[in-house]
Amino acid sequence: MSENTTTTTTAPTENLRERALKLDAADPLAGRRALFALDDGVYLDGNSLGALPVHVPARVQDVLTRQWGELRIRSWDESGWWTAPERIGDRIAPLVGAAAGQIVVGDSTSVNVFKAVVAAVRIAGEGRDEILVDATTFPTDGYIASAAARLTGHRIVPVAPADVLAALGPRTAAVLLNHVDYRSGRLHDLPGLTAAVHAAGAVAVWDLCHSAGALPVGLDEHGVDLAVGCTYKYLNGGPGSPAYLYVAERHQAVFDSPLPGWNSHADPFGMTAGYAPADGSVRGRVGTPDIVSMLTLEAALDVWDGVSVDAVRAKSLALTDFFLECVEAYVPAGRVVSVTPAAHAERGSQVALRCAEAEPVMRRLIERGVVGDLRRPDVLRFGFTPLYVGFADAERAARILADVLAEVPAGNTVS
């Protein structure tokens, strides 16, 4: 199953099924599944779009009918609309290891990446003209960073995360990295890389889209400067739910946003011609908040009440270990190869399998109720959201994968 393995184990199917049931029975997070709207299938695409918490529609109905329909403009004050970006940011903060007052919610991940990268090079100051960008990153991060570089007169330096240390130097202003690689599920060394960036005199910007809500991040503990993330994956905020921006408290007084909208003004209703930035994380705001989707997110975050991120991480690792074991047992040698690191310290909360027939295989998996996704040309991607995915789901998905592979003619086997 791993890159170095060409043989399969011989664990009987029934033993794996029995183990899965026992593991689910002992799982302290198993009760969380009932909080989500799920069908009888196996949903392994929460790393693209999290499942709907069952209580959210009623909360959204209240936003629409009472807060908007009855209170109307009064809801900016009476329903707390105006303070929602910071209030919801404070709810996300514990999930990424941040103290209150450092996260503001609003805009898309892409917009927040732009704010963060431009602000980072401005914090770094003159004499540094390079922005290092993860060469394997989600494409939009690269596009946005390149636009930020053009705006600020800097040069983009694409570099693999493993080569960041060698690429850092006196010209480095900022480094933009993904905490977890969206394609392979590899977890990068946030503490070590952040420390190295600081040692070089540069500013560290992290994209947390594939880690927040799946594993501990430790933004404050590890001295991260700026971070961004989406809320529709492991945080289950809904399609297109607003992203967030983390600005470490030590940088807030000098955070210079390239998008200084009226919402981030020190006196937004003064309507003055000159811009004066507000204090604190409010500086990360731009225009009028997208209230309906923002309050949908706020309601969705209720599923995290009483949940330890450490417990989520422990289950995530156990789930992905078990899924890999089941795939090893069920799938014929050579049909798939895991490109997700085996080492826990290097693994996010997904398993990516290279498969020569990835497109027809994923199509048939979805038809049979196992929903993952595809990263062309040959990667089957399965996301494990510990709040609602169980061990029986992992075993069933691996078993159906083996059935599908038996039906789909093999092309070039992978090694």
Side-chain angles (χ1 to χ4, degrees):
M1 260 301 304
S2 68
E3 298 268 2
N4 301 317
T5 302
T6 57
T7 60
T8 61
T9 61
T10 57
T13 297
E14 193 61 34
N15 286 354
L16 289 171
R17 290 186 193 177
E18 292 174 357
R19 278 181 54 204
L21 294 176
K22 291 178 181 177
L23 288 166
D24 281 334
D27 173 21
L29 294 176
R32 296 279 157 172
R33 185 185 182 100
L35 301 180
F36 293 88
L38 296 164
D39 55 27
D40 294 332
V42 180
Y43 188 62
L44 300 180
D45 208 7
N47 54 333
S48 285
L49 177 64
L52 170 71
V54 294
H55 71 281
V56 165
R59 293 277 290 277
V60 174
Q61 186 66 29
D62 177 70
V63 172
L64 296 175
T65 59
R66 185 183 64 85
Q67 296 182 31
W68 180 18
E70 298 175 14
L71 295 177
R72 294 179 288 275
I73 195 76
R74 291 159 53 196
S75 276
W76 285 106
D77 293 319
E78 295 181 27
S79 299
W81 287 1
W82 185 260
T83 58
E86 293 75 46
R87 182 178 71 245
I88 302 171
D90 284 348
R91 293 194 65 182
I92 292 172
L95 302 179
V96 293
Q102 299 178 100
I103 293 180
V104 63
V105 174
D107 305 312
S108 67
T109 305
S110 299
V111 171
N112 283 315
V113 168
F114 182 72
K115 296 178 202 171
V117 173
V118 173
V121 301
R122 291 174 175 173
I123 290 169
E126 297 181 1
R128 294 174 175 270
D129 62 355
E130 293 183 348
I131 302 172
L132 272 57
V133 179
D134 181 353
T136 63
T137 190
F138 189 75
T140 289
D141 281 13
Y143 306 156
I144 295 293
S146 295
R150 292 194 298 272
L151 175 71
T152 59
H154 285 62
R155 184 171 73 93
I156 285 290
V157 180
V159 59
D163 298 326
V164 167
L165 298 183
L168 290 167
R171 297 179 62 180
T172 307
V175 181
L176 172 63
L177 295 169
N178 273 251
H179 195 192
V180 174
D181 185 273
Y182 80 101
R183 188 185 300 272
S184 70
R186 177 177 292 278
L187 172 64
H188 297 306
D189 179 12
L190 181 147
L193 288 170
T194 299
V197 170
H198 289 167
V203 178
V205 182
W206 285 92
D207 183 327
L208 309 179
C209 286
H210 287 271
S211 59
L215 53 92
V217 177
L219 293 178
D220 287 353
E221 176 186 359
H222 303 304
V224 169
D225 301 297
L226 303 164
V228 301
C230 67
T231 60
Y232 48 79
K233 301 182 190 296
Y234 296 108
L235 298 185
N236 310 297
S241 56
Y244 57 91
L245 169 68
Y246 164 87
V247 182
E249 185 177 9
R250 66 186 182 278
H251 292 312
Q252 289 178 1
V254 294
F255 180 83
D256 185 5
S257 174
L259 299 171
W262 77 283
N263 257 233
S264 63
H265 197 286
D267 182 14
F269 293 98
M271 304 299 173
T272 58
Y275 178 75
D279 294 330
S281 63
V282 177
R283 289 189 179 204
R285 293 172 67 155
V286 184
T288 304
D290 42 353
I291 290 298
V292 175
S293 59
M294 189 168 292
L295 298 187
T296 300
L297 166 64
E298 184 173 33
L301 290 171
D302 287 353
V303 300
W304 287 95
D305 290 347
V307 174
S308 159
V309 178
D310 288 334
V312 169
R313 176 59 169 166
K315 182 178 177 182
S316 165
L317 292 172
L319 275 171
T320 49
D321 278 343
F322 185 66
F323 178 68
L324 287 166
E325 180 182 352
C326 291
V327 173
E328 187 84 26
Y330 297 161
V331 173
R335 293 301 302 273
V336 299
V337 169
S338 176
V339 296
T340 299
H344 286 181
E346 299 176 357
R347 186 194 308 168
S349 198
Q350 71 180 55
V351 172
L353 303 176
R354 181 170 291 125
C355 174
E357 304 80 30
E359 291 200 47
V361 167
M362 184 53 70
R363 184 167 58 249
R364 294 197 186 193
L365 282 172
I366 292 172
E367 290 170 356
R368 297 190 185 191
V370 177
V371 180
D373 66 11
L374 173 73
R375 286 295 176 260
R376 292 186 176 87
D378 60 357
V379 172
L380 302 169
R381 199 177 68 155
F382 303 96
F384 289 82
T385 305
L387 293 188
Y388 55 77
V389 174
F391 293 89
D393 294 322
E395 186 276 335
R396 181 182 171 193
R399 181 162 31 90
I400 294 175
L401 173 62
D403 291 344
V404 167
L405 286 168
E407 299 168 2
V408 175
N412 297 319
T413 58
V414 292
S415 60

